[in-house]
Amino acid sequence: MDPVADTLRRLREAFSAGRTRPAEFRAAQLRGLGRFLQEHKQLLRDALAQDLHKSAFESEVSEISITQSEINLALRHLRAWMKDEKVPKNLATQLDSAFIRKEPFGLVLVIAPWNYPVNLTLVPLVGALAAGNCVVLKPSEFSRSTEKVLAEVLPRYLDQSCFAVVLGGPQETGQLLEHKFDYIFFTGSPRVGRIVMSAAAKHLTPVTLELGGKNPCYVDDDCDPQTVANRLAWFRYFNTGQTCVAPDYVLCSPDTQERLLPALQSAITRFYGEDPRSSPNLGRIISDKHFQRLRGLLGCGRVAIGGQSDESERYIAPTVLVDVEETEPVMQEEIFGPILPIVNVRSLDEAIDFINRREKPLALYAFSNNKQVVKRVLAQTSSGSFCGNDGFMHLTLDSLPFGGVGASGMGSYHGKFSFDTFSHHPRLPCCAAPGWRRSTPSATRPTHLAS
Ligand code: NAD
């Protein structure tokens, strides 16, 4: 007996029986998810603190309340999103009704990473449930405490004939992927994204891939260094740099670098104190493996700020590296930790060229007092998302689709985009009005017969 196969069979039966289709059922699941968040807020906060040393503030803003507001939005708009959408008709279909119907895909698999283990597991779940699917959740094995809460407590709040949590690492997830799903939503690294997409291809299963990469941040000479530094430090060191949309490296002139360094030092001290290690606001690296990788990156270029580390608690200080060569590992792989390298460029053109010679990033940032500079970076580059003069604030808007492009992913979600992602909707039935027979159009008759 294969318990996973049994679970999937049970979920498929529930879907085929139409259990998840009514709006009332979907709303009840969403409300259940909301109750889980509210009733176990402290349990989740504790789990996030154990996994990532996440502060209560970060847990609230980037995990719990962001998920709750997605639930609230879906509940508010569920019936409107589900409604058939009438489409314009042509002369030949004037008496027909033509519309787009949003159908659930069926059995959906959501595979999540560890860095925002509540948000990145549950926000896709909101979209999948709202769209009327049965769902298998596969949380990350690295965020163990959160995984445990999701596996042991969350199912009590959802209909278990339509929802299941499957646990495991690469091997178990590989086995899970051998089964046929109707949609796979994956968040994680480009390397594993390729594995997921290959497995999905065997069943011709559509996928959304929310991946990562190196997010450039251009800082123009025409800027206020302290404002830029405050925003850079906030968005680079939030969640200890373990954020897919964090600015991965800075591109600026040597002059701007000189103005930026004291401003960055002052921002880091303001946020984390003289001794960031004792700050309650700075997290820790998720695992020994990631810690060792990051410690290796500290040897690239020259440490201008920070650079301290302590293996016993997987601590790495907020760090800035300068004199970094393009060929060094810190510029070859996604950093995903509290390290910010600065690479010097001589001009905006050179920065744009640098960005365009690499894989398309998930996010791209440009700082300048000159709007034309920001507009040029936006116009001449491609990325999953873009933010001018700020960090990843675009993520807070559920009116924007969130996703990558090229190597940083495909597909998008958040807000109504989540509902659309988890719905099959390019269906345009053209139902002739009853009792009406379309006559042979005269224009198709051979003219010599008509005369
Ligand atoms: P990961 O790719 O190692 O793991 C993601 C998930 O895939 C986990 O659930 C894991 O169990 C599973 N997995 C790992 N190896 C597998 C294999 N061989 N076969 C099948 N499944 C496997 O990613 P991670 O380390 O958890 O997260 C970090 C990465 O995720 C970074 O690249 C980051 O940029 C990216 N990320 C992207 C987003 C986004 O929204 N685009 C958000 C967060 C993280």
Side-chain angles (χ1 to χ4, degrees):
M1 289 291 272
D2 175 357
V4 170
D6 283 348
T7 302
L8 301 189
R9 195 172 311 115
R10 175 167 53 82
L11 266 53
R12 276 211 180 278
E13 281 169 11
F15 182 74
S16 301
R19 193 159 171 69
T20 55
R21 293 200 179 231
E24 300 72 37
F25 180 87
R26 304 182 193 194
Q29 302 311 298
L30 292 171
R31 282 194 294 270
L33 190 53
R35 275 203 314 281
F36 160 72
L37 282 182
Q38 297 313 319
E39 290 174 16
H40 298 287
K41 204 177 249 206
Q42 195 52 48
L43 191 64
L44 286 167
R45 279 187 186 156
D46 292 346
L48 291 163
Q50 278 159 24
D51 287 334
L52 289 146
H53 201 267
K54 224 175 245 216
S55 68
F57 170 74
E58 287 198 11
S59 294
E60 185 57 39
V61 297
S62 65
E63 303 265 18
I64 296 168
S65 59
I66 208 163
T67 310
Q68 187 63 57
S69 49
E70 286 276 336
I71 295 170
N72 297 346
L73 185 87
L75 279 169
R76 253 196 329 274
H77 298 286
L78 185 61
R79 281 169 201 276
W81 291 350
M82 287 173 67
K83 246 187 172 165
D84 288 343
E85 256 175 60
K86 290 199 171 150
V87 295
K89 293 180 281 185
N90 58 20
L91 195 60
T93 53
Q94 275 310 301
L95 296 177
D96 299 346
S97 64
F99 52 89
I100 300 173
R101 170 149 301 168
K102 292 80 178 263
E103 289 184 351
F105 276 103
L107 182 56
V108 163
L109 171 62
V110 173
I111 304 178
W114 48 262
N115 59 329
Y116 291 89
V118 174
N119 174 342
L120 297 174
T121 313
L122 300 188
V123 171
L125 177 64
V126 172
L129 293 174
N133 296 284
C134 287
V135 187
V136 173
L137 271 195
K138 212 304 284 174
S140 172
E141 71 282 16
F142 278 100
S143 40
R144 270 189 218 111
S145 305
T146 313
E147 181 197 42
K148 193 165 184 287
V149 178
L150 294 176
E152 292 177 6
V153 186
L154 174 63
R156 289 187 228 148
Y157 289 79
L158 299 170
D159 186 315
Q160 296 201 31
S161 66
C162 306
F163 169 81
V165 180
V166 173
L167 303 182
Q171 197 191 339
E172 294 80 3
T173 315
Q175 286 161 0
L176 183 61
L177 284 165
E178 285 170 17
H179 294 275
K180 180 174 163 46
F181 290 91
D182 299 308
Y183 201 90
I184 299 176
F185 187 101
F186 171 79
T187 307
S189 60
R191 181 186 70 79
V192 179
R194 287 185 174 89
I195 296 173
V196 170
M197 197 167 172
S198 305
K202 292 201 181 106
H203 299 288
L204 288 179
T205 300
V207 291
T208 289
L209 299 177
E210 294 283 341
L211 310 178
K214 291 185 81 63
N215 305 313
C217 177
Y218 174 69
V219 182
D220 192 36
D221 286 345
D222 183 2
C223 72
D224 168 29
Q226 194 57 61
T227 306
V228 176
N230 291 347
R231 292 176 191 177
L232 269 177
W234 160 256
F235 290 104
R236 168 74 276 189
Y237 305 119
F238 192 86
N239 201 28
T240 329
Q242 302 169 114
T243 302
C244 57
V245 283
D248 187 273
Y249 61 92
V250 168
L251 293 171
C252 68
S253 70
D255 282 354
T256 297
Q257 175 180 306
E258 287 320 300
R259 294 191 297 147
L260 214 46
L261 284 175
L264 276 167
Q265 178 64 76
S266 139
I268 290 168
T269 309
R270 227 178 94 210
F271 295 166
Y272 303 106
E274 293 293 342
D275 175 22
R277 186 175 166 159
S278 57
S279 165
N281 299 320
L282 188 71
R284 294 296 183 266
I285 306 306
I286 185 76
S287 69
D288 292 337
K289 186 178 132 207
H290 285 85
F291 174 83
Q292 294 302 347
R293 181 183 65 79
L294 287 164
R295 191 151 72 173
L297 297 183
L298 291 173
C300 300
R302 176 171 63 81
V303 172
I305 298 172
Q308 303 82 357
S309 64
D310 180 349
E311 188 171 358
S312 69
E313 46 176 289
R314 299 195 297 273
Y315 165 75
I316 293 189
T319 296
V320 180
L321 300 175
V322 294
D323 302 338
V324 173
E325 298 291 332
E326 261 188 78
T327 49
E328 290 186 274
V330 79
M331 287 309 295
Q332 299 294 315
E333 62 187 74
E334 179 181 3
I335 297 171
F336 223 56
I339 302 171
L340 182 67
I342 301 182
V343 175
N344 288 149
V345 285
R346 280 161 304 192
S347 64
L348 174 58
D349 284 333
E350 194 181 321
I352 291 174
D353 181 56
F354 190 97
I355 294 164
N356 289 337
R357 276 191 281 118
R358 286 166 174 73
E359 296 285 14
K360 292 182 180 181
L362 183 60
L364 174 53
Y365 305 98
F367 286 86
S368 177
N369 289 335
N370 182 346
K371 273 189 187 160
Q372 294 314 317
V373 169
V374 175
K375 283 185 177 168
R376 259 194 72 196
V377 182
L378 174 60
Q380 296 181 6
T381 58
S382 175
S383 57
S385 54
F386 177 91
C387 215
N389 287 314
D390 214 336
F392 43 83
M393 289 309 289
H394 53 291
L395 273 191
T396 61
L397 285 177
D398 54 32
S399 48
L400 286 175
F402 173 65
V405 58
S408 58
M410 60 184 72
S412 60
Y413 73 131
H414 285 183
K416 164 111 175 7
F417 303 99
S418 296
F419 178 88
D420 289 341
T421 285
F422 287 106
S423 306
H424 161 62
H425 56 138
R427 243 179 63 142
L428 297 109
C430 197
C431 309
W436 180 73
R437 295 271 178 279
R438 186 182 282 115
S439 60
T440 312
S442 57
T444 62
R445 289 180 190 154
T447 45
H448 67 278
L449 286 181
S451 60

